[in-house]
Amino acid sequence: MTEKLSAETSLRGYAGVLTTQKLPYGLVPAELCPVIHCVKSLNHLADRDVVALNPNGYVRTLFRVASEHNVLFATDRCNSFCLMCSQPPRDVDDSDRLSEHLRLIELIDPRTREMGITGGEPTLLKDGLIHIVRKCKEFLPQTAIHILSNGRLFYYGSYAHNLAEVGHTDLMVGIPLYADTDHEHDYIVQSRGAFDETMVGFQNLGRHGVAVEVRVVTHRLTVHRLENLAEFIYRNLPFAAHVAFMGLETVGFAVPNIETLWVDPWDYRHELEQATRYLADRGMHVSIYNHQLCTLPVSIWTYSRMSISDWKNEYLPICSACTARERCGGFFSSSIRARHSEHIGPFEVLPA
Amino acid sequence: MPADLGFHPKEHYGLVSAHPYRLLPFRFMRWQTGEVLVVNDVGEHLFLDASSFDAFVRHRLDSGSDTYLDCKAKHLLADSDSTVPIDLLATKYRTKKSFLEGFTKLHLFVVTLRCDHSCHYCQVSRVTEDRERFDMSRETAERAVNLMFRSPARDLKVEFQGGEPLLNFQLIRYLVNYANECNTQEGRRLEFVIATNLSPLTDEMLVFMREHSIFISTSLDGPEAVHNANRPRRGNDSYEITLRNIGRAREALGHDRVSAIMTTTERSLLHPREIIDEYVRQDFDSIFLRPISPYGFAIRTRKAWEYGAQEFIEFYKAALDHVINLNRNGVAFMEVYAQILLRRMLTPFPTGYMDLQSPAGAGVGVVAYNYDGDVYASDEARMLAEMGDFSFRLGNVHEQTYEEIFGGSVLQALQEASCVEALPGCSECAFVPYCGADPIFHWATQGDPVGNRPTSAFCTKNMALLKHLFGLLHSGDAFIEKLFLQWATSQDLPHRLAS
Ligand code: SF4
Ligand code: SF4
């Protein structure tokens, strides 16, 4: 990675070259290492970041040292088709990406605190996912691994068992659950039988001692039975290490489905308060993500986390006058443009 | 929702309304208000108004209604061929019954029958100087400890009983050392409790107890007049001695190492509030309101207690009411029997409590080794034996093997007679998931380990208390709801509760 490259620069030992310069053809012999020139900007990259260079000149940043939110995109495929999917799946054969993932893990800074594995649906890599976790255990023993999965393939007890067998000591599988009954959940994830598979998946992971997190996206189809869902979670998944209520992100499929999904967070603040309290009062570990403090009852502020990935986080102009801004989760940059609560208003004084 | 992207409307995933639903196992009870309490096999419950209940059982609930979804989410009905609702129920059931895992956890050692008190509710102590006759010997103790370690339980609790166990402290000392020695090989989690009136307590004993992290469970029946009348002793100073020694023990061992239990006598019935206040005054944070132990009395009269079940219930309600009011006024204080029941009502977790579980704790949760080496299915079983009824004697540590004692016909018969799910009168009761069986109580009071529910003081009491707690929870009093939830989810259960 360089701003200035000349014929004298020694490139021995480099895996590739990225430069903003326009280079004369042949300056670097192609057999020495791949070179991509005329890159618009390299400001977002730092030492020890990992990038992938494509022969067509496409540069993908796979890992940023400066970020707390590094994610390995295991696959673009998915076996669900959620109405609000933020990363709409593509039906492509990307099974050859496994070797890239395994190579990436070797290159990641071992001091990394946390890394996500997401997709698409990572479990579609089948044993590949188990390889990835095993490799993480080997190369990144100090890095917490969070897999975001719909949990459906853990319906197969042997698969849950295989994941547990890796013996990763800081592994959590986050699995979305949208309803306390099957048809409602199946509708939201647009897949018949998904609820059953996910619920059995939860149980199998729990039985094998893999930590699980329950993720609930709050939108018009989930909020009216939110407390019932909390009760269902407490009764059926009391072993869950964490329950997260997540605000809707207006990207991906949420854009075309916005009329079906949108509800002003202000309008479900009581439901969210009830559900949060229900779980917290019973000793479960609860968080609220992607919500603005001015839409939340003060009694549940303590569960609200600053969670939005660093590169997606923004505030409205009126937020600059807000005394709660330091503690406020703010907005997704996508959502701030699309639609946000009509009840955003700064706190002149911080509520007690 | 654009169909061209491949999305399907809700109906695509929902049921066709012609599709009838099935009822999953449930129990119910009609409430005075006209509502119906509906309970599933793992204790999840809801109140339905009479017409909703009617629609529910006639398969006529509207599949779009919240009542329908409530019933479905609580696994009271199923509308597909999926086996998953049953699997989830099974998992929850396993969790609820997991107090059975590990087999016998609580081991009572009656180290002597001698006692310096002559409480009228106690049938088993002897006021005597005859050491030889009523003390447990070292050999008996060793054999009993060896049997205890045959139990597969990872957590083992040794409780010293009497008589007054401190009168044979030498043996306690010997047994604790012996058990700890065995445990260097065994690696169990071993805990010791001494159930004592504390009167023979010496500083030397306290040093030993501190060294071995031993818990003390003493008796405090209420304010001075009640306590001394219940627990007569030469000099009539039991109350004074007990309090002084509770203080010494707390100082030496730590405040939370000393707990107290109370027994409700006829006299206690008049003083529910004073008894609670005494516990608060003595800085306890909970009380366990227990009816009197019926055994000696029952054998003679076939009645459970010296008072009627109804009188105990009234006493209990008044006391609980007082406890709730204390909490309203900022005094954190808990009633433990309510806690046990509430935990079963409000949480998915197991609550092993020897005197109220299904199957009964006798033998599979608790066992008592008498001073003479006889092994009994519970403390109550050995009290019966002191009255001449040896029905629940499992064997003797000098004569039988572990297999003979714990695999014998007495224990099997006890288990068979104590699954409330299958007992006549219980099997249909809405309270099965919260209740339990006590075959020894029913044997003593009704001459039959199964017993007859309508005339059972045990059933009358539990039925009334469960109804009372449900009533309070359902009364719309937010304070009570919150308080009860705190009790139900609180981690510290008293020492007689396994898991
Ligand atoms: S005004 Fe802005 S910063 Fe303040 S709470 Fe609302 S969204 Fe957050
Ligand atoms: S003992 Fe009485 S209250 Fe308990 S389950 Fe049996 S019938 Fe119901």
Side-chain angles (χ1 to χ4, degrees):
Chain A
M1 181 178 95
T2 174
E3 304 286 333
K4 267 207 175 76
L5 201 66
S6 66
E8 288 78 50
T9 318
S10 164
L11 291 171
R12 213 160 297 283
Y14 283 89
V17 175
L18 272 185
T19 176
T20 46
Q21 272 175 275
K22 182 168 171 31
L23 295 185
Y25 181 77
L27 180 71
V28 182
E31 59 281 9
L32 188 62
C33 69
V35 176
I36 293 181
H37 63 136
C38 299
V39 177
K40 252 202 223 118
S41 160
L42 293 174
N43 291 341
H44 65 291
L45 291 178
D47 201 19
R48 290 179 289 126
D49 285 359
V50 183
V51 296
L53 313 184
N54 253 35
N56 63 7
Y58 186 52
V59 182
R60 281 179 300 139
T61 309
L62 300 182
F63 176 84
R64 286 175 56 222
V65 167
S67 172
E68 293 275 304
H69 301 276
N70 280 295
V71 167
L72 185 155
F73 287 94
T75 172
D76 284 341
R77 292 173 295 136
C78 190
N79 49 349
S80 291
F81 204 66
C82 305
L83 291 176
M84 62 293 170
C85 181
S86 60
Q87 208 86 71
R90 292 187 309 144
D91 196 8
V92 290
D93 180 10
D94 52 11
S95 45
D96 57 334
R97 270 188 22 208
L98 180 61
S99 52
E100 178 185 307
H101 298 325
L102 295 174
R103 176 76 183 126
L104 168 62
I105 293 164
E106 291 172 7
L107 297 173
I108 288 176
D109 188 330
R111 284 167 296 184
T112 303
R113 276 229 314 268
E114 193 186 358
M115 197 183 65
I117 299 177
T118 176
E121 172 50 46
T123 60
L124 293 184
L125 295 186
K126 309 256 169 67
D127 287 345
L129 178 63
I130 312 285
H131 282 151
I132 289 174
V133 176
R134 195 176 295 127
K135 187 114 187 189
C136 287
K137 185 187 170 196
E138 192 183 332
F139 280 81
L140 305 169
Q142 296 165 45
T143 307
I145 301 298
H146 186 281
I147 301 176
L148 186 56
S149 163
N150 60 35
R152 294 173 61 187
L153 262 73
F154 295 112
Y155 177 86
Y156 300 99
S158 57
Y159 192 50
H161 174 255
N162 291 346
L163 180 62
E165 278 285 272
V166 175
H168 198 295
T169 49
D170 201 351
L171 171 73
M172 171 130 80
V173 186
I175 301 178
L177 187 69
Y178 299 125
D180 57 345
T181 55
D182 52 1
H183 298 137
E184 309 274 318
H185 176 91
D186 290 358
Y187 165 51
I188 293 167
V189 305
Q190 294 278 303
S191 311
R192 278 197 189 125
F195 177 84
D196 280 0
E197 289 169 5
T198 295
M199 281 310 297
V200 175
F202 267 124
Q203 304 281 340
N204 283 337
L205 289 168
R207 192 165 300 151
H208 290 293
V210 179
V212 294
E213 171 191 61
V214 186
R215 299 191 149 206
V216 181
V217 178
T218 48
H219 53 64
R220 198 163 67 81
L221 302 176
T222 57
V223 293
H224 78 288
R225 284 184 65 83
L226 212 53
E227 194 183 358
N228 303 82
L229 178 53
E231 182 178 358
F232 184 80
I233 291 169
Y234 177 60
R235 286 290 187 165
N236 293 278
L237 306 169
F239 51 85
H242 186 213
V243 180
F245 294 106
M246 343 245 317
L248 184 68
E249 187 182 0
T250 331
V251 291
F253 285 157
V255 176
N257 289 323
I258 193 72
E259 293 312 323
T260 311
L261 299 171
W262 175 254
V263 54
D264 192 319
W266 178 259
D267 294 336
Y268 64 77
R269 66 192 188 285
H270 295 305
E271 284 85 347
L272 183 58
E273 182 180 28
Q274 295 288 86
T276 304
R277 296 234 61 98
Y278 185 96
L279 293 166
D281 286 349
R282 284 158 182 78
M284 292 194 78
H285 184 34
V286 197
S287 299
I288 297 170
Y289 292 142
N290 317 344
H291 280 76
Q292 301 77 41
L293 289 181
C294 48
T295 66
L296 294 180
V298 177
S299 79
I300 52 171
W301 276 26
T302 116
Y303 304 102
S304 173
R305 319 263 177 249
M306 311 271 291
S307 60
I308 298 174
S309 308
D310 39 13
W311 43 278
K312 296 199 229 170
N313 195 209
E314 280 182 37
Y315 294 86
L316 287 174
I318 48 169
C319 296
S320 53
C322 181
T323 51
R325 206 196 122 130
E326 295 287 282
R327 294 174 52 194
C328 177
F331 300 83
F332 283 116
S333 24
S334 55
S335 307
I336 213 168
R337 277 182 292 277
R339 200 182 284 201
H340 59 71
S341 172
E342 285 173 12
H343 296 82
I344 302 299
F347 291 96
E348 274 172 35
V349 280
L350 208 57
Chain B
M1 197 178 58
D4 53 332
L5 288 175
F7 295 114
H8 300 287
K10 188 167 175 182
E11 299 71 52
H12 186 75
Y13 304 95
L15 52 155
V16 199
S17 54
H19 220 79
Y21 57 83
R22 286 174 294 132
L23 297 175
L24 295 177
F26 72 91
R27 295 184 169 79
F28 69 98
M29 186 177 285
R30 293 192 188 274
W31 226 245
Q32 301 92 314
T33 54
E35 289 168 297
V36 184
L37 172 71
V38 186
V39 182
N40 74 6
D41 262 344
V42 293
E44 291 168 50
H45 55 268
L46 79 176
F47 281 94
L48 292 180
D49 61 58
S51 63
S52 298
F53 180 71
D54 195 59
F56 164 61
V57 293
R58 288 175 200 276
H59 305 255
R60 283 189 197 145
L61 274 184
D62 171 8
S63 65
S65 67
D66 265 316
T67 306
Y68 184 95
L69 295 177
D70 290 345
C71 290
K72 189 171 164 183
K74 292 198 158 84
H75 299 132
L76 297 167
L77 67 82
D79 54 18
S80 72
D81 298 333
S82 167
T83 59
V84 169
I86 308 289
D87 294 342
L88 290 176
L89 269 175
T91 306
K92 291 188 274 191
Y93 199 80
R94 212 162 33 235
T95 305
K96 278 283 185 190
K97 293 287 184 189
S98 61
F99 59 81
L100 289 168
E101 275 166 25
F103 208 57
T104 323
K105 300 182 193 72
L106 177 60
H107 296 256
L108 309 177
F109 290 78
V110 181
V111 294
T112 180
L113 276 197
R114 291 182 293 123
C115 188
D116 58 334
H117 279 63
S118 48
C119 308
H120 83 285
Y121 52 66
C122 174
Q123 292 79 40
V124 296
S125 67
R126 297 281 185 286
V127 182
T128 169
E129 295 303 310
D130 192 348
R131 293 187 155 258
E132 295 289 291
R133 241 182 99 202
F134 296 114
D135 280 14
M136 185 181 268
S137 73
R138 289 188 170 189
E139 198 202 340
T140 302
E142 279 184 19
R143 282 176 174 267
V145 169
N146 294 344
L147 277 182
M148 171 176 83
F149 278 114
R150 292 292 310 279
S151 166
R154 199 184 37 165
D155 301 287
L156 291 171
K157 200 163 283 182
V158 172
E159 183 173 313
F160 296 106
Q161 285 272 358
E164 170 45 54
L166 294 187
L167 294 178
N168 194 5
F169 197 74
Q170 281 163 323
L171 188 82
I172 291 180
R173 199 184 277 272
Y174 182 78
L175 198 153
V176 168
N177 286 331
Y178 179 73
N180 278 334
E181 203 177 291
C182 297
N183 202 36
T184 53
Q185 292 280 318
E186 292 282 346
R188 316 289 182 93
R189 279 201 299 244
L190 199 52
E191 215 171 271
F192 299 96
V193 185
I194 305 178
T196 167
N197 67 37
L198 289 179
S199 58
L201 185 70
T202 66
D203 290 338
E204 215 187 329
M205 291 176 188
L206 284 172
V207 170
F208 182 81
M209 291 181 204
R210 190 179 46 226
E211 264 169 25
H212 293 89
S213 315
I214 296 175
F215 288 89
I216 283 181
S217 166
T218 192
S219 295
L220 180 63
D221 278 1
E224 184 160 10
V226 176
H227 182 94
N228 282 345
N230 281 358
R231 307 182 61 80
R233 178 181 191 279
R234 231 178 291 153
N236 199 31
D237 55 357
S238 176
Y239 175 83
E240 200 189 311
I241 294 177
T242 303
L243 288 194
R244 188 181 335 119
N245 286 329
I246 286 175
R248 284 168 72 203
R250 280 175 169 169
E251 189 150 319
L253 309 178
H255 191 93
D256 52 342
R257 296 246 147 202
V258 184
S259 64
I261 53 170
M262 70 78 72
T263 299
T264 311
T265 63
E266 209 169 359
R267 193 173 296 97
S268 320
L269 292 178
L270 302 171
H271 307 285
R273 283 169 202 83
E274 292 80 355
I275 292 171
I276 303 290
D277 290 342
E278 179 68 24
Y279 267 68
V280 175
R281 192 159 43 241
Q282 300 314 332
D283 210 7
F284 288 104
D285 52 13
S286 68
I287 193 168
F288 194 155
L289 296 168
R290 302 185 317 156
I292 198 164
S293 160
Y295 296 94
F297 190 72
I299 287 299
R300 291 190 302 273
T301 64
R302 283 277 184 244
K303 268 174 65 184
W305 308 310
E306 56 197 11
Y307 39 80
Q310 208 50 48
E311 287 170 273
F312 178 77
I313 292 161
E314 292 315 317
F315 164 79
Y316 182 91
K317 285 183 184 171
L320 184 65
D321 200 44
H322 188 54
V323 170
I324 293 169
N325 281 331
L326 283 173
N327 281 282
R328 278 194 218 276
N329 294 323
V331 182
F333 191 77
M334 179 167 73
E335 201 288 306
V336 176
Y337 199 63
Q339 182 194 20
I340 294 166
L341 299 178
L342 289 165
R343 194 178 176 86
R344 294 177 178 189
M345 290 154 63
L346 300 177
T347 84
F349 303 116
T351 355
Y353 167 57
M354 300 311 164
D355 300 338
L356 189 75
Q357 66 188 41
S358 170
V364 303
V366 54
V367 66
Y369 306 98
N370 210 0
Y371 68 97
D372 57 2
D374 276 354
V375 184
Y376 292 98
S378 69
D379 203 22
E380 292 73 20
R382 73 109 189 182
M383 290 181 191
L384 275 185
E386 293 299 332
M387 307 299 301
D389 177 349
F390 294 89
S391 305
F392 304 107
R393 180 178 174 274
L394 303 178
N396 187 286
V397 299
H398 298 281
E399 289 154 23
Q400 271 87 27
T401 63
Y402 178 82
E403 286 74 14
E404 285 163 348
I405 293 171
F406 288 90
S409 56
V410 175
L411 202 52
Q412 274 175 29
L414 271 173
Q415 292 298 296
E416 269 164 33
S418 68
C419 291
V420 276
E421 289 81 355
L423 293 187
C426 291
S427 64
E428 309 273 282
C429 174
F431 293 149
V432 158
Y434 318 118
C435 203
D438 193 338
I440 299 175
F441 180 96
H442 286 106
W443 168 260
T445 56
Q446 301 189 320
D448 168 27
V450 170
N452 173 36
R453 291 298 161 266
T455 55
S456 154
F458 172 91
C459 175
T460 308
K461 171 189 129 187
N462 286 314
M463 179 90 71
L465 299 193
L466 281 162
K467 269 190 188 159
H468 188 58
L469 293 176
F470 267 115
L472 288 172
L473 273 175
H474 196 51
S475 65
D477 184 326
F479 181 84
I480 292 185
E481 242 174 88
K482 196 155 178 231
L483 179 69
F484 280 6
L485 184 62
Q486 265 169 23
W487 291 2
T489 53
S490 125
Q491 284 314 297
D492 32 290
L493 292 170
H495 74 269
R496 274 204 78 170
L497 299 172
S499 74

mmCIF file of all heavy atoms in Angstrom, chain A residues 292-295 315-316 318-319 322-325 328-331 344-347, ligand 1:
data_model
loop_
_atom_site.group_PDB
_atom_site.id
_atom_site.type_symbol
_atom_site.label_atom_id
_atom_site.label_comp_id
_atom_site.label_asym_id
_atom_site.label_seq_id
_atom_site.Cartn_x
_atom_site.Cartn_y
_atom_site.Cartn_z
ATOM 1 N N GLN A 292 -32.918 5.058 19.473
ATOM 2 C CA GLN A 292 -32.522 6.374 19.945
ATOM 3 C C GLN A 292 -33.122 6.582 21.335
ATOM 4 O O GLN A 292 -34.281 6.253 21.572
ATOM 5 C CB GLN A 292 -33.034 7.453 18.977
ATOM 6 C CG GLN A 292 -32.516 7.284 17.555
ATOM 7 C CD GLN A 292 -33.229 6.175 16.795
ATOM 8 O OE1 GLN A 292 -34.436 6.035 16.891
ATOM 9 N NE2 GLN A 292 -32.467 5.360 16.057
ATOM 10 N N LEU A 293 -32.331 7.148 22.220
ATOM 11 C CA LEU A 293 -32.782 7.268 23.612
ATOM 12 C C LEU A 293 -34.086 8.057 23.725
ATOM 13 O O LEU A 293 -34.916 7.771 24.577
ATOM 14 C CB LEU A 293 -31.701 7.919 24.476
ATOM 15 C CG LEU A 293 -30.472 7.038 24.752
ATOM 16 C CD1 LEU A 293 -29.484 7.789 25.642
ATOM 17 C CD2 LEU A 293 -30.878 5.725 25.417
ATOM 18 N N CYS A 294 -34.291 9.044 22.817
ATOM 19 C CA CYS A 294 -35.508 9.851 22.951
ATOM 20 C C CYS A 294 -36.760 9.052 22.589
ATOM 21 O O CYS A 294 -37.877 9.521 22.796
ATOM 22 C CB CYS A 294 -35.409 11.137 22.138
ATOM 23 S SG CYS A 294 -34.831 10.875 20.461
ATOM 24 N N THR A 295 -36.585 7.831 22.074
ATOM 25 C CA THR A 295 -37.761 7.003 21.799
ATOM 26 C C THR A 295 -37.945 5.922 22.861
ATOM 27 O O THR A 295 -38.869 5.118 22.767
ATOM 28 C CB THR A 295 -37.637 6.302 20.428
ATOM 29 O OG1 THR A 295 -36.551 5.366 20.478
ATOM 30 C CG2 THR A 295 -37.409 7.283 19.305
ATOM 31 N N TYR A 315 -26.049 10.916 13.387
ATOM 32 C CA TYR A 315 -27.033 11.611 14.214
ATOM 33 C C TYR A 315 -27.721 12.669 13.372
ATOM 34 O O TYR A 315 -27.225 13.066 12.316
ATOM 35 C CB TYR A 315 -26.352 12.260 15.422
ATOM 36 C CG TYR A 315 -25.785 11.233 16.384
ATOM 37 C CD1 TYR A 315 -24.507 10.710 16.174
ATOM 38 C CD2 TYR A 315 -26.524 10.754 17.449
ATOM 39 C CE1 TYR A 315 -23.993 9.744 17.017
ATOM 40 C CE2 TYR A 315 -26.030 9.788 18.294
ATOM 41 C CZ TYR A 315 -24.755 9.285 18.077
ATOM 42 O OH TYR A 315 -24.251 8.314 18.902
ATOM 43 N N LEU A 316 -28.863 13.129 13.839
ATOM 44 C CA LEU A 316 -29.554 14.218 13.151
ATOM 45 C C LEU A 316 -28.957 15.558 13.601
ATOM 46 O O LEU A 316 -28.362 15.634 14.665
ATOM 47 C CB LEU A 316 -31.043 14.197 13.512
ATOM 48 C CG LEU A 316 -31.892 13.082 12.907
ATOM 49 C CD1 LEU A 316 -33.298 13.136 13.494
ATOM 50 C CD2 LEU A 316 -31.947 13.206 11.391
ATOM 51 N N ILE A 318 -30.464 18.018 14.918
ATOM 52 C CA ILE A 318 -30.972 18.445 16.232
ATOM 53 C C ILE A 318 -30.289 17.695 17.376
ATOM 54 O O ILE A 318 -30.345 18.131 18.519
ATOM 55 C CB ILE A 318 -32.513 18.246 16.374
ATOM 56 C CG1 ILE A 318 -32.924 16.856 15.919
ATOM 57 C CG2 ILE A 318 -33.282 19.322 15.683
ATOM 58 C CD1 ILE A 318 -34.371 16.529 16.291
ATOM 59 N N CYS A 319 -29.645 16.597 17.072
ATOM 60 C CA CYS A 319 -28.978 15.821 18.129
ATOM 61 C C CYS A 319 -27.822 16.593 18.751
ATOM 62 O O CYS A 319 -27.418 16.298 19.884
ATOM 63 C CB CYS A 319 -28.449 14.503 17.578
ATOM 64 S SG CYS A 319 -29.758 13.404 17.005
ATOM 65 N N CYS A 322 -28.366 17.812 22.099
ATOM 66 C CA CYS A 322 -28.900 16.835 23.048
ATOM 67 C C CYS A 322 -27.878 16.448 24.113
ATOM 68 O O CYS A 322 -26.739 16.096 23.808
ATOM 69 C CB CYS A 322 -29.358 15.590 22.295
ATOM 70 S SG CYS A 322 -30.061 14.339 23.366
ATOM 71 N N THR A 323 -28.325 16.488 25.370
ATOM 72 C CA THR A 323 -27.422 16.137 26.470
ATOM 73 C C THR A 323 -27.218 14.625 26.579
ATOM 74 O O THR A 323 -26.343 14.158 27.287
ATOM 75 C CB THR A 323 -27.985 16.632 27.816
ATOM 76 O OG1 THR A 323 -29.338 16.170 27.928
ATOM 77 C CG2 THR A 323 -27.945 18.134 27.912
ATOM 78 N N ALA A 324 -28.071 13.855 25.891
ATOM 79 C CA ALA A 324 -27.972 12.399 25.987
ATOM 80 C C ALA A 324 -27.138 11.805 24.855
ATOM 81 O O ALA A 324 -26.962 10.598 24.770
ATOM 82 C CB ALA A 324 -29.367 11.784 25.968
ATOM 83 N N ARG A 325 -26.640 12.653 23.995
ATOM 84 C CA ARG A 325 -25.994 12.165 22.791
ATOM 85 C C ARG A 325 -24.861 11.184 23.068
ATOM 86 O O ARG A 325 -24.712 10.189 22.369
ATOM 87 C CB ARG A 325 -25.469 13.354 21.981
ATOM 88 C CG ARG A 325 -25.374 13.040 20.502
ATOM 89 C CD ARG A 325 -24.514 14.053 19.776
ATOM 90 N NE ARG A 325 -23.441 13.315 19.150
ATOM 91 C CZ ARG A 325 -23.109 13.442 17.877
ATOM 92 N NH1 ARG A 325 -23.709 14.323 17.119
ATOM 93 N NH2 ARG A 325 -22.143 12.717 17.363
ATOM 94 N N CYS A 328 -26.296 7.883 23.484
ATOM 95 C CA CYS A 328 -27.363 7.495 22.556
ATOM 96 C C CYS A 328 -26.804 6.662 21.404
ATOM 97 O O CYS A 328 -25.739 6.957 20.874
ATOM 98 C CB CYS A 328 -28.036 8.750 22.009
ATOM 99 S SG CYS A 328 -29.314 8.375 20.800
ATOM 100 N N GLY A 329 -27.555 5.624 21.043
ATOM 101 C CA GLY A 329 -27.128 4.755 19.957
ATOM 102 C C GLY A 329 -27.136 5.430 18.597
ATOM 103 O O GLY A 329 -26.481 4.986 17.676
ATOM 104 N N GLY A 330 -27.896 6.506 18.457
ATOM 105 C CA GLY A 330 -27.948 7.208 17.186
ATOM 106 C C GLY A 330 -28.693 6.436 16.122
ATOM 107 O O GLY A 330 -29.556 5.602 16.419
ATOM 108 N N PHE A 331 -28.351 6.710 14.876
ATOM 109 C CA PHE A 331 -29.085 6.147 13.743
ATOM 110 C C PHE A 331 -28.143 5.380 12.820
ATOM 111 O O PHE A 331 -26.965 5.679 12.747
ATOM 112 C CB PHE A 331 -29.712 7.270 12.901
ATOM 113 C CG PHE A 331 -30.669 8.126 13.653
ATOM 114 C CD1 PHE A 331 -30.203 9.183 14.444
ATOM 115 C CD2 PHE A 331 -32.028 7.907 13.573
ATOM 116 C CE1 PHE A 331 -31.086 9.984 15.138
ATOM 117 C CE2 PHE A 331 -32.919 8.708 14.263
ATOM 118 C CZ PHE A 331 -32.441 9.750 15.049
ATOM 119 N N ILE A 344 -38.091 12.313 17.501
ATOM 120 C CA ILE A 344 -36.716 12.603 17.866
ATOM 121 C C ILE A 344 -36.649 14.031 18.392
ATOM 122 O O ILE A 344 -37.102 14.959 17.735
ATOM 123 C CB ILE A 344 -35.767 12.469 16.643
ATOM 124 C CG1 ILE A 344 -35.852 11.065 16.045
ATOM 125 C CG2 ILE A 344 -34.333 12.814 17.027
ATOM 126 C CD1 ILE A 344 -35.462 9.969 16.990
ATOM 127 N N GLY A 345 -36.143 14.162 19.595
ATOM 128 C CA GLY A 345 -36.034 15.509 20.143
ATOM 129 C C GLY A 345 -34.996 15.522 21.229
ATOM 130 O O GLY A 345 -34.941 14.594 22.049
ATOM 131 N N PRO A 346 -34.153 16.524 21.216
ATOM 132 C CA PRO A 346 -33.027 16.543 22.153
ATOM 133 C C PRO A 346 -33.482 16.721 23.606
ATOM 134 O O PRO A 346 -34.512 17.339 23.878
ATOM 135 C CB PRO A 346 -32.212 17.752 21.702
ATOM 136 C CG PRO A 346 -33.157 18.600 20.943
ATOM 137 C CD PRO A 346 -34.186 17.699 20.351
ATOM 138 N N PHE A 347 -32.719 16.170 24.510
ATOM 139 C CA PHE A 347 -32.951 16.388 25.936
ATOM 140 C C PHE A 347 -32.153 17.608 26.367
ATOM 141 O O PHE A 347 -30.930 17.616 26.228
ATOM 142 C CB PHE A 347 -32.483 15.174 26.744
ATOM 143 C CG PHE A 347 -33.325 13.955 26.521
ATOM 144 C CD1 PHE A 347 -32.946 12.986 25.592
ATOM 145 C CD2 PHE A 347 -34.502 13.767 27.246
ATOM 146 C CE1 PHE A 347 -33.722 11.874 25.378
ATOM 147 C CE2 PHE A 347 -35.278 12.645 27.027
ATOM 148 C CZ PHE A 347 -34.896 11.693 26.094
HETATM 149 S S1 SF4 C 1 -32.083 13.681 20.108
HETATM 150 FE FE1 SF4 C 1 -30.577 12.487 18.974
HETATM 151 S S2 SF4 C 1 -28.917 12.118 20.408
HETATM 152 FE FE2 SF4 C 1 -30.685 12.794 21.614
HETATM 153 S S3 SF4 C 1 -31.627 10.914 22.251
HETATM 154 FE FE3 SF4 C 1 -32.653 11.542 20.372
HETATM 155 S S4 SF4 C 1 -31.531 10.507 18.732
HETATM 156 FE FE4 SF4 C 1 -30.290 10.386 20.570
#
